[in-house]
Structures are given as structure tokens and as C-alpha cells.
Amino acid sequence: MIKKIAVLTSGGDAPGMNAAIRAVVRSARSYGLEVIGIHEGYKGLVEGGENYEPMTRKSVTDIIARGGTILGSARLPEFPQPEVRERGIQQLKEHNIDALIVIGGDGTYAGAKRLHDHGIRVIGLPGTIDNDIAFTDYTIGFDTCLNTVVESIDKLRDTCGSHQRCAVVEVMGRYCGDIARSAGLATGAEFVVTNTDNNDLQTILEKTKTFKEQNKRHPFIIVTEHLFDVHDLARKIEDYSGYETRATVLGHVQRGGKPSSYDRILASRLGLAAVERLMEGESGVCLGVQSNQIVATPFEEVIGKSKNLFEEYDDYIKLLC
Ligand code: ADP
């Protein structure tokens, strides 16, 4: 029987992580469990001490609407080393923690799987703006991020329209095109460059030349991060197509802000489900949402899998631009 659980956030932060922490703490307390909030991800888990904070219902008052994570997130590159993990496992034992909920992305899941392999009961929740976790339609933070990106691109469109400029906008996503494609469709962009499609330089240049021939006033090209130096790409587009071209890197603003209603609801449902499933004896899985149903998938099936849920949006964008 589980009496005491711990929760941590790890990897890149995402809006809605706080709503998930709140749901874990409140549901656990409702079921009579003790809860420890572990600060600073796996780093805090290994270091112990003040990083382990007993949490009450009050500890999570008024956090549902806050971006970031009240528990903090840190990276611990040494966590793959067995002796480092062993220190973490000792800390969990010393604090009498029966089970752990981790909220993060692919790397966080890799760490969680290793803990599970050592006999720690653990469930993962998908907390990342990139939506790059397989076996879930959405990750906590993606919807909020998308809204931020769309709002920013709408603003850029106003100014680019005034000046007849071509805009190249770099968005996050790590190695997943979901942010770029969804933002492209939502903002009426002309072209979207992702890891799987349209990422050949000559294709992009020819496309912009076609837009010029079609007398498009201010074409928008949305590019997933890690593919191009977008400032260099903008110069090349300018030389080739004749459009005055500006690059904008949206950067870390995409990670911040109040979580959207969708993210708060998703985080609340997943946090509650994680506690209930741990109580039922489930472990070694991460939870996600598919067709609005909560699903559990073993870590080993999810880790390292790529996902591009919205590939068909490429066709819509082509037809609608
Ligand atoms: P995310 O969870 O957003 O993908 P990271 O890739 O930075 O973020 O991973 C978060 C943390 O998870 C890392 O700092 C590290 O402590 C741990 N981690 C990542 N990969 C592994 C791995 N292969 N084995 C064990 N722990 C890992």
C-alpha cells in the first residue's frame, strides 16, 4: 500500500506544470496520502535536504493559473550514471517515499525508466511545449505555447504587411513539427519548414520566388528550430526572391505565460490519474491523452520515439495559402 508519494518537474519547463503539481498534491491528500514536492528535478532528488518539501493542500493554492513550475526544474547530466542514481534512490528510501510522479519530456522519462528498473514505483506525465512525446495527442504546455506563437505571428503579420516583407519565423519544437505546422495553419502562413518536410534550402528559395511571381504581399515562412540559421536563411531568400526579408526567433517567450484552459484541464486530469494509477499498483508507464481518453504506455515504448501528429496540415497550408 502506498502511503507517501513524491512529485518533481524536470527538463524544459512548460505552462501547466503547476496545474499538474496541484492536481497531484490535492488528489493525493484527498486520498489520505502524504506528498513530498521535490525541488529542482533529478538534481534535487539526488541532493536531498531542503529539496524535499512536504506539501499540503495549501502549498498549491493559487498556482493553477501560473506559468513555469513552483518546484523548479534543473538538468542533471550525470543522472544516467548508476552511482548518481543510487544516491537518489537512497534519498527516496530515507524519506520513506513509496512512489514518484515525474513531469517532463523524453529525457525525464529516460531517467524515470531507470528508476523503475531499480524497483522504484514511478509514473510519468508529459510536460513539454514541444508536443514531441509519442502515444499522447497533446503534452501539457503545447496549447499555451501555440497560442503564444500565434499571437506573436499575428503581430508580425501586421508590420510585415505594411512593408511588403517576407517573414521567416523560427519556433520551438525540438525535433517535432507540431508547433510549426499548427501555428502555420492557425496564422495562414504560406510555408512551413519542419524536420520531415520542406527543409531543403533550394525548395524554400524556389517557393519564395513563386510567391513573388504570384504577387503575394508578405509571405510567412515558419521554421522549426535546429534546421537553419534563420538570419542567414532570410538573407538567402532576399537575394533569391527579391523580397525584403526579416527573420524573427521567438525563443523562450514560447515557454512562458499563464497556461491555457486546455492545458490546465489536461494537467489536472493527468495529475489525478497518475495518483489513482499509482494507488492501483501501476508503475513504469507514462500517461497521455488519446481521443480525449487518458492512456498509459510503458516508458520503453515511448522513449526516443518521434511523433508528427499534424503532418496533414502541410497539405491544408498548401491549399489555403
Ligand atoms: P526533457 O525531459 O524535457 O526531455 P532533458 O532531456 O534535459 O529534458 O532531461 C531532463 C533530465 O532527465 C536530465 O537533466 C537528466 O537528469 C535526465 N535524463 C535525461 N536523459 C537520461 C538518460 N538517458 N538516463 C537517465 N537520466 C536521463
Side-chain angles (χ1 to χ4, degrees):
M1 250 245 312
I2 285 175
K3 290 193 183 135
K4 194 175 190 180
I5 65 165
V7 57
L8 64 79
T9 49
S10 163
D13 69 334
M17 279 182 161
N18 280 328
I21 295 166
R22 174 182 178 273
V24 167
V25 172
R26 291 270 167 98
S27 56
R29 298 301 297 150
S30 293
Y31 287 122
L33 305 180
E34 285 181 67
V35 192
I36 299 290
I38 299 178
H39 289 260
E40 315 304 343
Y42 291 131
K43 186 166 176 287
L45 180 141
V46 168
E47 288 176 358
E50 289 183 353
N51 291 304
Y52 284 59
E53 181 194 349
M55 300 195 84
T56 63
R57 305 183 77 84
K58 246 185 152 172
S59 316
V60 291
T61 298
D62 277 345
I63 68 166
I64 197 166
R66 276 168 58 187
T69 159
I70 60 160
L71 291 176
S73 184
R75 293 201 154 97
L76 180 66
E78 300 81 16
F79 201 57
Q81 297 168 18
E83 62 278 13
V84 176
R85 262 194 329 276
E86 192 50 47
R87 275 166 48 210
I89 290 165
Q90 278 315 315
Q91 287 289 348
L92 292 173
K93 286 189 177 148
E94 277 169 31
H95 286 86
N96 296 316
I97 289 164
D98 301 309
L100 176 67
I101 294 170
V102 300
I103 307 166
D106 196 69
T108 302
Y109 283 3
K113 171 167 186 324
R114 293 193 185 210
L115 289 174
H116 176 72
D117 292 344
H118 284 278
I120 302 292
R121 283 190 257 196
V122 55
I123 282 185
L125 299 183
T128 164
I129 60 161
D130 299 322
N131 215 36
D132 59 346
I133 301 288
F135 295 97
T136 185
D137 294 345
Y138 295 101
T139 56
I140 297 165
F142 170 70
D143 183 67
T144 307
C145 166
L146 181 58
N147 286 321
T148 303
V149 170
V150 167
E151 203 182 320
S152 306
I153 293 175
D154 286 347
K155 287 181 179 165
L156 279 172
R157 196 174 263 287
D158 292 343
T159 168
C160 286
S162 308
H163 294 276
Q164 296 194 43
R165 280 181 188 141
C166 170
V168 178
V169 186
E170 182 187 289
V171 299
M172 285 185 168
R174 198 132 66 159
Y175 301 105
C176 172
D178 286 3
I179 295 175
R181 287 195 177 95
S182 304
L185 189 56
T187 59
E190 273 65 24
F191 201 60
V192 174
V193 179
T194 62
N195 293 73
T196 50
D197 285 292
N198 303 331
N199 52 28
D200 165 67
L201 174 63
Q202 200 53 36
T203 307
I204 301 169
L205 295 179
E206 293 300 340
K207 203 75 196 170
T208 47
K209 205 174 206 174
T210 311
F211 294 147
K212 190 77 181 170
E213 284 157 13
Q214 293 169 338
N215 282 324
K216 281 192 178 290
R217 213 180 138 77
H218 53 301
F220 263 68
I221 299 166
I222 319 249
V223 185
T224 306
E225 64 183 336
H226 302 311
L227 294 174
F228 288 95
D229 173 336
V230 286
H231 297 286
D232 180 53
L233 179 63
R235 273 189 294 276
K236 288 182 172 138
I237 289 173
E238 187 158 313
D239 290 346
Y240 198 79
S241 69
Y243 275 113
E244 189 185 351
T245 307
R246 292 281 190 279
T248 305
V249 177
L250 294 184
H252 280 85
V253 291
Q254 295 166 90
R255 288 253 194 96
K258 280 161 97 76
S260 66
S261 312
Y262 182 85
D263 278 329
R264 295 181 203 189
I265 292 168
L266 178 65
S268 299
R269 292 178 67 199
L270 289 171
L272 170 64
V275 171
E276 290 182 339
R277 284 173 186 244
L278 281 173
M279 290 173 70
E280 288 161 7
E282 205 157 352
S283 174
V285 296
C286 46
L287 302 187
V289 64
Q290 291 174 14
S291 306
N292 208 29
Q293 300 297 310
I294 305 286
V295 293
T297 315
F299 283 126
E300 57 268 28
E301 287 181 34
V302 175
I303 294 164
K305 284 265 164 64
S306 62
K307 182 186 79 171
N308 274 298
L309 200 61
F310 306 119
E311 255 166 359
E312 81 241 39
Y313 289 5
D314 285 341
D315 296 331
Y316 305 164
I317 290 163
K318 221 179 281 169
L319 290 168
L320 296 176
C321 87

